[in-house]
Amino acid sequence: MAQDGSPDVKTGEVLRFALRGLAANKLRSGLTTLGIMIGVAAVILLVAVGSGASASIEQSIAGLGTNVLTVSRAGGQGSTARPLTVEDAKALVDPLGAPDVKASSPVVSTPVTAVSGGTSYDVPQLIGTNPEYFSTSNSAVASGSLFTADDVSFGRKVLVLGPTTAQELFAGADPVGEQVLLDNIQFTVIGVLQSKGSSGLANADDTAIAPLTAVQNSLTGYGQVNQILVQSTSADSMSAAQAEITAILSARHRIAANQTPDFRVLSQEQLLATRTTATETFTVLLASVAAISLLVGGIGVTNIMLVTVTERIREIGIRKAIGATRGVILGQFLTEATLLSLFGGALGVAAGVVGSQFTIAGITPVVVPGSIFLAFGVSALIGLFFGSYPAGRAASLRPIEALRHD
Amino acid sequence: MNPVIEVTALHKTYGTGETEVHALRGVDLTVWSGEYLAIMGASGSGKSTLLNVLGCLDVPTRGTYKLDGIDVGDLNERQLSLVRNRKIGFVFQSYNLVPRTSALSNVELPLIYAGVGRRERRKRAVAALEMVGLADRSGHKPNQLSGGQQQRVALARALVTGPAMVLADEPTGNLDSESTDEVLAVFDRLNRIGRTIVMITHEDHVAGRAARTVRVSDGQIVEDTSRWHRTGALT
Ligand SMILES: Nc1ncnc2c1ncn2[C@@H]1O[C@H](COP(=O)(O)OP(=O)(O)O)[C@@H](O)[C@H]1O
Ligand SMILES: [Mg+2]
């Protein structure tokens, strides 16, 4: 560091002054370091959580299956809006009107409390659907079997468990053949699905799937369905299938050409796009919270430097009286502030990266390298920027002014 | 022989308006190289104000101060630091050592600011501490030293850069008679090896060590007496 005022004072000496200054008040230096550390760690961690969330959403939507279109209600259409029904789903399987639709599964879903033996577990979603759902949603069986069209026609109370649900209820024992009470209705477990991998916000493995009729009969009633999952014949026929679905449902729901339909047909990419926008907002929100905490850490450094400088004005006076230049004094205090910030920043990077190894609220954080450089760089700049004001003030004092200070 | 200090028509005013204080009202003073000068005067007469200006710790409101023939008023901040570091050793009544820092490090400090290398620095600091009789206390922090010892460390720090003049503002004001004698003995030795000394004191027996005594009253020099004519150039 070539001090403008004093090229002959060695950088090492300035560094030693700064270290001695910091060591003189270890508790205070430690707390300031902690402030910066928390700020930097928060930036890295929260950005990692945000990007982990979007990654998991992408993964879960990809896990939905291939060539899948989701039909759901478009909200807020008033009394004219019609719900989606099982008949709507059936109408979509039409070789003439919809040649590009391969399969169509009505889906009802509801959270239930499952009880088996002494164990009770709240399943976030019990899905009632038809057997096509399994192939459409890429769900393969791990043990036992899946239910059949027969089971649906007879409304048999059979149940296929997601691996997470099976683990929660049976703790490793084989559930196939066991009885499970879903909101006090008895179901028989006939199969367990393979894991799709835990994917953060919505765990696709934390589910239970039963025949549509059985779920409607005992739990949800025969009203509307929540959504219709449609598989197109191939990836290339997706948009054709989308148009066919729209045409059929518009006719059934009596939607005129100039009206907005009361349903929505979305492909995975479109779903992905809407969800991604949501998580981007989420990430930006997290990042701003983190940025604020970094700023607060910076104000902490300024505050500490102000206190340090004020407390040591006499010392500054002594140093100037024996020949310290403005540059050397400035260098000493700037170095102190920068060391605090750099040290806190380095600890914060370590804490942020280590913290990102853990699963937080079901999200596996993904560390964004850019956030590390940004947070570390900002913390170093904070030291220089916020340290320069108090340091500059201290360095500009006339020796006698400083010495008279008490 | 050249004057080390040459001040003319020096004025210093503190504050403005109602709180205005005229601490110096036209001081003229010439100090020759090698002189031992005592400044005496009532409390509040302006002695410290004068010495602070002479030590380049403060700037006068009006008047000129030539140090070794250089007009200090023309110097910039950096040059003033250099003057304080190389030409002046300042000793305060309240010692003013850097706290939590060993005696040796305190004495080394001016040499660090002078850019002296570590080994040379250590050698000269140890020599200075030896001169004030504190070589065995070099590792002690200020709060582990008596007042007299602290003042001798401060003295070692003032003389370690080999300044042409040592300025002291009531250096024995806080000391008992034994410590006073020790400190004054160091000043005597310094003067004997040719250093110029300007010292403020209240005590006649302290002033008695100096060859020349200047009396300040109400911001002006009212008396300037020499016990013997060392240079024969007194005004
Ligand atoms: N920083 C200051 N602000 C205002 N007045 C001051 C200041 N320093 C000294 N004075 C005033 O200037 C006068 C001379 O002070 P000083 O030089 O300290 O006297 P002495 O050292 O002879 O006791 C006094 O009246 C004192 O109150
Ligand atoms: Mg005084």
Side-chain angles (χ1 to χ4, degrees):
Chain A
M1 200 185 310
Q3 291 302 327
D4 68 307
S6 166
D8 41 7
V9 175
K10 291 163 188 65
T11 308
E13 300 297 344
V14 174
L15 193 66
R16 194 161 324 153
F17 286 149
L19 284 174
R20 214 179 276 166
L22 292 177
N25 206 325
K26 294 190 185 65
L27 179 67
R28 183 191 296 162
S29 307
L31 287 175
T32 314
T33 308
L34 190 68
I36 288 286
M37 176 187 138
I38 291 173
V40 169
V43 169
I44 293 172
L45 198 58
L46 294 186
V47 170
V49 166
S51 69
S54 19
S56 80
I57 282 172
E58 282 168 35
Q59 194 188 336
S60 73
I61 289 173
L64 217 58
T66 44
N67 312 337
V68 176
L69 291 162
T70 308
V71 184
S72 53
R73 278 187 76 177
Q77 292 287 312
S79 54
T80 57
R82 290 169 177 240
L84 293 170
T85 62
V86 178
E87 285 68 39
D88 286 335
K90 280 184 184 150
L92 294 180
V93 187
D94 179 348
L96 287 176
D100 295 300
V101 170
K102 184 176 164 196
S104 162
S105 315
V107 173
V108 296
S109 65
T110 175
V112 289
T113 303
V115 177
S116 164
T119 316
S120 168
Y121 177 66
D122 288 323
V123 183
Q125 60 171 1
L126 168 70
I127 290 172
T129 186
N130 62 19
E132 287 82 3
Y133 177 87
F134 293 110
S135 60
T136 306
S137 69
N138 253 350
S139 306
V141 71
S143 70
S145 60
L146 304 173
F147 57 78
T148 61
D150 243 18
D151 294 327
V152 178
S153 336
F154 292 104
R156 290 195 189 111
K157 295 194 179 61
V158 293
L159 192 61
V160 177
L161 295 178
T164 303
T165 315
Q167 177 64 28
E168 292 286 346
L169 278 173
F170 296 97
D174 184 10
V176 176
E178 298 293 330
Q179 305 295 314
V180 174
L181 290 178
L182 297 180
D183 285 357
N184 292 321
I185 314 288
Q186 189 169 317
F187 281 75
T188 308
V189 179
I190 57 165
V192 178
L193 295 177
Q194 281 177 11
S195 175
K196 288 183 178 179
S198 172
S199 52
L201 288 181
N203 182 355
D205 291 344
D206 196 1
T207 186
I209 305 172
L212 175 71
T213 44
V215 175
Q216 283 182 319
N217 184 25
S218 45
L219 293 161
T220 62
Y222 291 94
Q224 54 176 305
V225 300
N226 297 72
Q227 53 174 249
I228 301 169
L229 219 56
V230 181
Q231 188 173 24
S232 67
T233 49
S234 71
D236 295 333
S237 61
M238 287 280 280
S239 47
Q242 198 165 2
E244 292 158 10
I245 294 166
T246 307
I248 292 172
L249 290 184
S250 293
R252 289 182 54 83
H253 289 200
R254 303 186 200 292
I255 309 289
N258 59 350
Q259 266 182 307
T260 19
D262 53 6
F263 58 89
R264 197 162 43 186
V265 187
L266 290 178
S267 67
Q268 290 166 85
E269 285 75 32
Q270 290 160 331
L271 260 174
L272 203 63
T274 52
R275 299 275 180 89
T276 306
T277 318
T279 51
E280 265 165 15
T281 317
F282 179 59
T283 309
V284 166
L285 203 72
L286 288 181
S288 9
V289 169
I292 288 169
S293 71
L294 196 55
L295 187 73
V296 171
I299 293 170
V301 173
T302 322
N303 190 19
I304 289 305
M305 289 319 291
L306 269 174
V307 171
T308 307
V309 165
T310 311
E311 198 183 74
R312 285 159 62 191
I313 284 186
R314 265 185 76 86
E315 181 190 323
I316 293 166
I318 298 170
R319 288 174 183 273
K320 293 201 81 169
I322 59 177
T325 54
R326 197 177 173 280
V328 172
I329 302 278
L330 193 69
Q332 174 182 344
F333 283 94
L334 270 187
T335 309
E336 280 190 25
T338 308
L339 281 178
L340 277 183
S341 305
L342 281 184
F343 191 54
L347 285 179
V349 167
V353 170
V354 168
S356 302
Q357 307 308 308
F358 299 97
T359 304
I360 296 159
I363 296 167
T364 310
V366 178
V367 176
V368 182
S371 74
I372 295 181
F373 293 115
L374 188 78
F376 193 73
V378 166
S379 80
L381 281 181
I382 278 176
L384 278 175
F385 184 77
F386 288 107
S388 59
Y389 168 66
R393 238 180 49 154
S396 311
L397 288 171
R398 232 184 292 153
I400 201 67
E401 289 169 337
L403 281 169
R404 280 213 195 93
H405 196 272
D406 48 22
Chain B
M1 185 157 275
N2 296 321
V4 186
I5 293 170
E6 200 176 1
V7 296
T8 32
L10 209 62
H11 286 258
K12 177 71 184 181
T13 312
Y14 292 111
T16 48
E18 283 179 20
T19 58
E20 203 171 68
V21 176
H22 296 280
L24 296 179
R25 308 161 178 265
V27 170
D28 298 300
L29 179 68
T30 305
V31 179
W32 300 87
S33 180
E35 267 196 301
Y36 191 162
L37 177 78
I39 301 179
M40 299 192 75
S43 178
S45 55
K47 307 183 295 293
S48 295
T49 304
L50 176 59
L51 203 70
N52 291 338
V53 170
L54 297 183
C56 297
L57 303 181
D58 208 350
V59 288
T61 313
R62 262 186 300 134
T64 58
Y65 170 24
K66 280 188 183 166
L67 176 64
D68 269 347
I70 302 161
D71 191 337
V72 168
D74 295 339
L75 301 182
N76 64 24
E77 164 79 29
R78 157 141 180 74
Q79 292 165 322
L80 278 175
S81 299
L82 214 65
V83 167
R84 290 181 203 121
N85 187 246
R86 309 281 160 89
K87 292 195 185 257
I88 302 166
F90 208 103
V91 179
F92 303 88
Q93 180 175 356
S94 52
Y95 327 134
N96 276 341
L97 298 178
V98 177
R100 296 181 293 267
T101 305
S102 72
L104 187 65
S105 299
N106 260 289
V107 178
E108 279 186 56
L109 214 48
L111 298 176
I112 294 178
Y113 293 134
V116 177
R118 185 194 292 250
R119 185 170 298 178
E120 171 71 8
R121 198 163 77 206
R122 178 88 7 136
K123 209 178 77 189
R124 282 164 66 174
V126 167
L129 277 174
E130 266 164 11
M131 172 151 185
V132 298
L134 281 176
D136 56 334
R137 294 284 194 282
S138 60
H140 287 52
K141 307 265 166 73
N143 59 1
Q144 298 166 328
L145 295 168
S146 74
Q149 288 169 334
Q150 287 188 58
Q151 192 60 299
R152 281 189 281 155
V153 173
L155 204 47
R157 186 180 65 188
L159 57 86
V160 74
T161 49
M165 63 176 187
V166 175
L167 308 179
D169 191 345
E170 298 189 45
T172 61
N174 288 351
L175 305 182
D176 57 32
S177 60
E178 198 179 325
S179 301
T180 298
D181 288 342
E182 285 168 355
V183 167
L184 290 179
V186 178
F187 278 107
D188 285 348
R189 280 175 62 191
L190 280 176
N191 185 236
R192 247 178 277 128
I193 60 172
R195 301 287 160 79
T196 312
I197 293 171
V198 179
M199 180 196 293
I200 297 176
T201 182
H202 275 305
E203 296 156 278
D204 285 327
H205 79 95
V206 175
R209 304 250 184 165
R212 178 181 168 200
T213 303
V214 157
R215 200 166 286 277
V216 179
S217 175
D218 207 12
Q220 283 175 321
I221 291 179
V222 292
E223 201 184 309
D224 190 342
T225 52
S226 257
R227 277 202 290 131
W228 62 81
H229 288 258
R230 175 174 284 227
T231 63
L234 289 179
T235 46

